[in-house]
Amino acid sequence: MQNKINNNKDRCLFFRRKILQISQNVPALHIGGAFSSTEIVDLIYNELMSKTSEKKFNDTFIMSKGHSCIMQYVVLNYLGIISDKQIDEYCKPGGILGAHPDYGNPGIEASTGSLGHGMALAVGMHTADKINSEERKIFIVISDGELQEGSTWEALMMAANLNCENLICFLDHNGSQSFGVTREVHPKFYPIKSKLESFGWETFEADGHDQEDIIKKYNSRKTKKPFIIICNTTKGKGVSYMENKPIWHYRSPNEEEYKIAMKELEIQS
Amino acid sequence: MRNKFAEAIYEIGKKDSKICALVADISPAGSMLDFQKDFPNRFINTGVSEQSMIGIAAGLALRGMRPFCYTIASFSLFRPFEFIRVDLCYQNLPVTVIGMGAGLIYSTLGSTHHSAEDIAIASTLPNMQVIAPCDPSEMKLATTWCAKDSKGPVYMRLGKAGEPDFTQNADNFEFGKIRYLYKGSKIAIITYGITMNLANQIKKYFNDNGLNPSLISNHTIKPLDVNGLTKTLKNYEKIIVLEESIPHGGLSSRLKEIAYDNGIISKLDCYTLRDKFINFYGNHQELLEKHNFSFSYIIKNYK
């Protein structure tokens, strides 16, 4: 099992390097969105979620942007919940981990990957917890692409209707999608904040790669409305040639590109 | 059947605190209002948003609850289809999706509100179980099974209102098994759901003409009772299949497969709706006649 890394920045670099290593075994693993969500996912698992024992969380995590689950896998591996063998068999015959998370796998509480499903699942879980008087938070990470799905807005409304005060959402707003930059591809997607507020959510914005800023906003919560932080991020963050380049949504770097990426991450440590 | 379903879910919900009722703003029957009043935290109206109804039900089931999702069939299955596929079927969660007023019951509301394809579509999904009880008594037994015993998702096709009971003297209800309502000889009439009324009329016609057909409720369309149906195919000279559904993907085509697999291809008379959206505004019966799915049309073949 991996030794504990106390410094958050080092931990995030460790996760990015680990994802790069895994990328060399598979043709594609959605590296861009994994790197935009690195600080968010690390923060939720390693700082925010309450535990009942060493490897068991009381709170729930849903990776609604399921295509970035490699980030979730490496954190769960770091925590000893997913084994090294399971990581080695990622997307391989005989392995249990695929490019989207499957319910029932260690640490995976819902199958996602089809965009726009996680929010309603989270609202349902929250409702069940209320019925059963279970005190726990539900953390959910959604993508800006998912926020273009009508189903997400249906569920956002229901979260407010049902007073989902323990529902905490992090929007990985990397502003980049298959056809290019979201501001150009889908201009009326903006503004986001006022839309979310009008749907009954307490909404903050943060630098999604600055964990101190995210925590500051997390602690600024004033109401019992469902809570969302718009985390402004960079797709492919940490590797210069990947940043904001749509091609890195999906593909794995080749050997040469891998070496350059590892070197860049080394300099950052 | 609508009111009887609401009564059933209320009675089951009174004893079992895991039962939840979700509606997508369908006008509720009387007892559904009682459920809302007596168990307010287990009654959720998602408004006119069927995708979130299914997703929220899945979230509830992931926490061990047993939700029922209730609206008109075309909106409970067709509209949120991908949510049913991924959230319910892929995760194999015990959520029951009710398709109210299925078939062509809402005749004058037009094809937007008809669901002739529901049985075929629901049956395509891995893990999905499909059931269509034929009268209020059978519906109550099926609902109880969904609430207590089902290990995965169910699509339950229901009628609307006013169906009489046909199952007073029937075999015991067992999920996944055909059920004899009446045991005769030589001819077997097989149907499910709302079409039992027509099947019963045809049975009576044969009785009046000196024949004594069996009457079978094939309430569970998936998983289909292949053994029971194979025996029926072997033991009868003629099998008449009636379903208020499109011609393919339902009981008729499945029975033809079973017949072919068993080398029995000459005994089956299948009656279904036509593969058409028919723009005709009349009552349910009048619309069925446009589909050549009526008592008078069918008995012409047996005169």
Side-chain angles (χ1 to χ4, degrees):
Chain A
M1 196 178 139
Q2 174 63 38
N3 291 331
K4 209 164 174 349
I5 306 169
N6 290 320
N7 181 290
N8 295 15
K9 275 187 183 164
D10 289 345
R11 213 166 47 225
C12 289
L13 281 169
F14 168 79
F15 292 139
R16 285 195 172 90
R17 278 200 291 261
K18 182 88 184 169
I19 290 169
L20 275 166
Q21 285 163 8
I22 297 167
S23 79
Q24 296 308 285
N25 302 324
V26 290
L29 85 173
H30 293 104
I31 201 161
F35 282 8
S36 66
S37 66
T38 302
E39 279 74 18
I40 301 167
V41 176
D42 169 69
L43 188 73
I44 294 170
Y45 271 116
N46 288 309
E47 304 281 341
L48 301 182
M49 284 173 76
S50 69
K51 282 182 170 177
T52 51
S53 63
E54 174 66 21
K55 291 187 188 179
K56 202 160 169 49
F57 287 101
N58 176 53
D59 293 337
T60 294
F61 179 95
I62 297 173
M63 193 67 162
S64 188
K65 49 171 295 194
H67 57 284
S68 298
C69 67
I70 190 65
M71 181 56 212
Q72 188 182 11
Y73 293 164
V74 295
V75 175
L76 289 169
N77 176 237
Y78 167 80
L79 294 167
I81 293 168
I82 283 178
S83 72
D84 290 345
K85 184 171 180 287
Q86 285 162 344
I87 286 284
D88 290 343
E89 292 172 346
Y90 170 73
C91 286
K92 300 279 182 218
I96 59 166
L97 303 177
H100 294 106
D102 289 321
Y103 169 57
N105 276 340
I108 305 300
E109 302 215 33
S111 295
T112 57
S114 174
L115 298 183
H117 284 249
M119 187 57 75
L121 294 172
V123 173
M125 288 177 175
H126 190 286
T127 305
D129 289 345
K130 253 190 172 174
I131 294 168
N132 297 318
S133 304
E134 299 268 2
E135 189 56 43
R136 74 163 65 87
K137 290 190 173 69
I138 297 172
F139 294 95
I140 171 172
V141 177
I142 67 171
S143 68
D144 41 16
E146 290 195 280
L147 208 51
Q148 294 166 24
E149 296 278 7
S151 59
T152 301
W153 292 99
E154 286 184 9
L156 283 164
M157 269 190 276
M158 284 308 297
N161 280 346
L162 294 168
N163 302 312
C164 294
E165 61 189 73
N166 289 322
L167 182 52
I168 295 154
C169 181
F170 294 81
L171 169 64
D172 179 3
H173 174 230
N174 60 36
S176 174
Q177 53 196 91
S178 290
F179 268 67
V181 176
T182 305
R183 278 191 192 281
E184 292 163 11
V185 173
H186 198 354
K188 290 299 171 200
F189 177 64
Y190 299 96
I192 307 172
K193 189 163 183 279
S194 57
K195 281 196 188 85
L196 290 166
E197 284 169 343
S198 72
F199 273 64
W201 283 62
E202 186 174 357
T203 311
F204 283 89
E205 260 188 279
D207 176 343
H209 298 299
D210 180 347
Q211 292 188 332
E212 280 180 23
D213 191 35
I214 301 174
I215 284 285
K216 199 174 120 193
K217 304 298 162 53
Y218 182 80
N219 291 330
S220 302
R221 190 176 180 188
K222 291 183 185 67
T223 72
K224 288 191 168 183
K225 293 176 180 178
F227 184 66
I228 183 164
I229 302 177
I230 302 167
C231 297
N232 296 314
T233 59
T234 302
K235 203 159 181 174
K237 175 75 177 178
V239 178
S240 58
Y241 65 82
M242 287 186 188
E243 291 189 358
N244 293 324
K245 300 282 189 306
I247 191 174
W248 294 104
H249 172 72
Y250 186 59
R251 63 166 283 209
S252 291
N254 63 27
E255 203 181 333
E256 188 61 26
E257 290 160 341
Y258 169 74
K259 281 181 189 159
I260 296 168
M262 288 301 261
K263 205 169 181 183
E264 284 192 20
L265 291 176
E266 205 172 303
I267 294 164
Q268 291 167 40
S269 63
Chain B
M1 203 156 349
R2 182 170 67 184
N3 294 337
K4 295 284 179 190
F5 170 75
E7 280 172 32
I9 200 76
Y10 178 82
E11 288 305 319
I12 297 166
K14 201 158 66 176
K15 292 183 199 125
D16 185 350
S17 62
K18 298 220 169 295
I19 303 297
C20 300
L22 290 87
V23 300
D25 211 50
I26 186 78
S27 46
S31 296
M32 201 59 107
L33 291 174
D34 292 341
F35 192 106
Q36 181 181 20
K37 188 165 126 279
D38 291 352
F39 321 117
N41 58 352
R42 290 191 277 131
F43 178 88
I44 301 165
N45 179 10
T46 60
V48 189
S49 66
E50 294 79 8
Q51 297 178 111
S52 71
M53 174 176 72
I54 300 296
I56 290 169
L60 285 160
L62 283 164
R63 290 284 203 250
M65 308 300 282
R66 299 189 72 93
F68 284 72
C69 297
Y70 176 88
T71 185
I72 296 175
S74 56
F75 309 126
S76 67
L77 180 69
F78 301 162
R79 171 63 73 94
F81 179 75
E82 197 250 2
F83 284 70
I84 290 177
R85 178 178 178 269
V86 175
D87 293 352
L88 306 188
C89 294
Y90 184 45
Q91 300 188 108
N92 200 18
L93 299 175
V95 175
T96 302
V97 177
I98 305 292
M100 266 303 305
L104 307 183
I105 284 183
Y106 290 111
S107 59
T108 54
L109 299 185
S111 294
T112 54
H113 284 59
H114 299 161
S115 53
E117 314 89 345
D118 58 335
I119 295 293
I121 287 177
S123 298
T124 61
L125 292 167
N127 289 334
M128 183 57 104
Q129 306 160 101
V130 180
I131 190 161
C134 72
D135 69 3
S137 300
E138 195 167 85
M139 178 277 302
K140 197 170 175 187
L141 294 165
T143 304
T144 305
W145 183 87
C146 293
K148 292 189 172 159
D149 300 317
S150 175
K151 301 279 191 291
V154 185
Y155 173 71
M156 180 152 70
R157 177 195 250 219
L158 291 185
K160 201 172 92 184
E163 292 90 347
D165 263 331
F166 297 103
T167 53
Q168 296 92 336
N169 303 313
D171 290 349
N172 286 337
F173 172 86
E174 193 180 342
F175 178 81
K177 300 283 177 208
I178 57 170
R179 188 183 191 202
Y180 279 84
L181 273 50
Y182 178 80
K183 265 193 178 145
S185 61
K186 294 186 180 172
I187 301 171
I189 305 170
I190 309 179
T191 191
Y192 56 80
I194 48 178
T195 312
M196 189 54 79
N197 202 16
L198 173 62
N200 196 47
Q201 282 177 346
I202 292 169
K203 174 186 171 288
K204 280 184 182 159
Y205 169 82
F206 281 119
N207 291 152
D208 292 345
N209 286 277
L211 294 163
N212 187 29
S214 289
L215 189 58
I216 297 172
S217 169
N218 192 118
H219 47 75
T220 310
I221 296 114
K222 193 185 174 194
L224 201 63
D225 182 5
V226 174
N227 285 339
L229 288 167
T230 304
K231 270 186 207 157
T232 307
L233 279 167
K234 285 181 177 164
N235 292 342
Y236 288 85
E237 291 172 12
K238 181 167 284 302
I239 314 284
I240 298 171
V241 186
L242 304 167
E243 56 176 335
E244 192 173 322
S245 287
I246 51 169
H248 36 269
L251 181 61
S252 301
S253 48
R254 287 288 283 118
L255 258 170
K256 286 173 193 169
E257 288 169 22
I258 295 168
Y260 181 87
D261 290 346
N262 288 279
I264 311 162
I265 52 172
S266 59
K267 294 179 176 179
L268 271 170
D269 290 351
C270 296
Y271 297 95
T272 68
L273 300 177
R274 295 161 74 189
D275 184 20
K276 258 184 185 306
F277 293 114
I278 295 180
N279 275 334
F280 167 85
Y281 297 102
N283 66 28
H284 184 206
Q285 190 53 43
E286 289 161 340
L287 181 56
L288 290 177
E289 279 166 19
K290 294 283 174 192
H291 279 271
N292 298 334
F293 191 75
S294 65
F295 176 74
S296 55
Y297 181 87
I298 291 166
I299 59 155
K300 270 193 280 182
N301 297 316
Y302 303 105
K303 278 183 173 164

